[in-house]
Amino acid sequence: TVVLKTVGLLALMAQSGIPVPADEATLPVFDQILADIGDQQSIANHLSTFSAHVLSIKSMLESATPESLILLDEIGSSTEPGEGAALGKAVLERFRQTGCLAIATTHYNRLKVYAETTKDVSNAAMEFNEQTLEPTYRLIHGLAGASSGLKIAERLQMPASVLRDATGFLDTGEADVALYVDELRRRVADLEKEKATVESQRRDFEAQKQKELAALQAQQKEELSRTERRLQQIAKEMSDRAAKELESVREESLKKKYQRKLEAVTAQATSQIRKEKEKVQPALKPAAPQPAEKRPLEVGSKVRVGSMGVTGVLVSLHAGEAEVLVGSIRLRRPLSDLEVMEKPALKLPEGVHLSISSAEPASNEINLLGCTVDEATSRTDKFLDEAFLAELPEVRIVHGTGTGALRTAIAEFLKSHPHVVRFESAPQNQGGRGVTIAKLRD
């Protein structure tokens, strides 16, 4: 809600000519800003909270254009969660087809998965400190937020028996998605920590480099000063000696000859001092950095994601954005946020596509929710190869319960797989029949 109100307010400020509170901002001009935030239930008009939301969204669907900004708070809420999520997905899909910019908040895992798997749609999460039960007001892009309802209830000392019952009542599919979202949050948090560590190391390195450069400059300045004093002393001695010789000369022609000789010696000493200075002074000036040539983005290239400070492999390019594999996490980022670190080892012929994955699995778990049987077996086969090479003792295969077809297909596939010793369903508190645990050969 804070994000929605902030975005709407800043957009209206910009279009009213009021500077927005940001270091840098580029905003489009919207023809209208449509918002559904808060509770508009009315006893007089016989409107429930859900009815009020539906009427508001209906009005938006009728008037939205590609230049509109849509703000929806808790889309599809205040009704049965399954129907609410389905309606919310349909509404968002219509806005996507219209081409307008829409921002929606939700607790529904179905909508989080929709954002992860749909072009031109992405997740973002408001960070929440589960230790202090306080929001941090940090918006993290590319990450689906977790509702953490049971965790918060536990920290607020809800009876343990009630929490156990609540965990048992969770739909297995919803629990699997929640586990997946939680794992994504953990990995992004690890990336954030790694980014902070790298940034700290970079600052330390820069400070040390500046310190060493300052020491070197001080040393060279001192050396230059000593050289200059020594040459000036030599020049003075030569000048004094020449002056004494000149005084002892009586004949005018010889005096002029000595005068020219004195001037030549003085000029030579001055020139020598200048040359010695030039030898030392260039070292005091740090070399100007050469601008790096910007390499073109190619599938297979190693790239750096500037906004997150992490590196990965470019696996696909779309209109204005690219998909980057960071460990086992796929990120969709704009092309302007990417910098090529290394070119691909070879250029593939036209029509040949390369699928890149990490050398070792970043986790001992693979999530197959939403896959067909063929996709699931193919991904599982590749995952087992990577896990076997990484010498993992066991892996978790999340396939959900559903109709049971995917679980049965995975079981048949594991029976004859050379890397698998045995397999079994996970304990009830770890996914139950929706997760298969496979023990791997040594």
Side-chain angles (χ1 to χ4, degrees), residues 13-218:
M13 287 172 63
Q15 292 185 201
S16 302
I18 304 173
V20 300
D23 293 332
E24 183 179 346
T26 303
L27 293 111
V29 176
F30 299 107
D31 60 359
Q32 52 186 336
I33 298 176
L34 308 172
D36 179 34
I37 302 173
D39 189 350
Q40 293 91 27
Q41 65 175 329
S42 167
I43 296 176
N45 294 328
H46 305 288
L47 287 177
S48 67
T49 299
F50 179 73
S51 300
H53 285 311
V54 168
L55 288 177
S56 178
I57 293 172
K58 174 177 174 290
S59 174
M60 292 181 180
L61 290 170
E62 292 170 349
S63 59
T65 74
E67 284 73 43
S68 300
L69 172 62
I70 311 297
L71 305 174
L72 300 168
D73 197 14
E74 292 295 345
I75 184 170
S77 62
S78 303
T79 188
E80 193 275 322
E83 292 186 355
L87 180 61
K89 180 177 177 180
V91 168
L92 292 175
E93 185 62 19
R94 179 61 58 85
F95 284 135
R96 186 180 77 88
Q97 293 169 0
T98 301
C100 54
L101 177 60
I103 305 177
T105 64
T106 183
H107 285 283
Y108 295 147
N109 287 329
R110 286 188 187 179
L111 294 183
K112 298 172 188 177
V113 174
Y114 162 74
E116 283 292 332
T117 57
T118 305
K119 184 183 177 183
D120 299 328
V121 186
S122 63
N123 276 311
M126 288 298 288
E127 189 178 56
F128 186 78
N129 189 327
E130 294 177 1
Q131 304 298 322
T132 62
L133 302 181
E134 292 178 348
T136 64
Y137 298 101
R138 283 184 68 233
L139 182 66
I140 304 174
H141 292 276
L143 173 66
S147 298
S148 306
L150 294 180
K151 291 182 181 178
I152 293 174
E154 182 181 5
R155 296 195 182 280
L156 294 176
Q157 299 181 350
M158 177 71 75
S161 58
V162 174
L163 292 174
R164 279 197 303 272
D165 291 344
T167 303
F169 294 151
L170 279 176
D171 176 71
T172 306
E174 290 289 321
D176 289 341
V177 173
L179 286 172
Y180 175 65
V181 170
D182 199 48
E183 177 67 11
L184 274 181
R185 287 182 63 209
R186 185 186 64 77
R187 292 182 186 178
V188 171
D190 290 343
L191 286 175
E192 288 283 329
K193 289 180 182 177
E194 185 177 339
K195 175 184 174 183
T197 301
V198 170
E199 182 63 23
S200 175
Q201 291 173 346
R202 186 193 65 78
R203 286 196 300 268
D204 292 344
F205 173 76
E206 288 291 334
Q208 182 65 23
K209 187 172 71 173
Q210 289 298 325
K211 184 178 179 181
E212 292 176 358
L213 181 60
L216 179 61
Q217 288 178 334

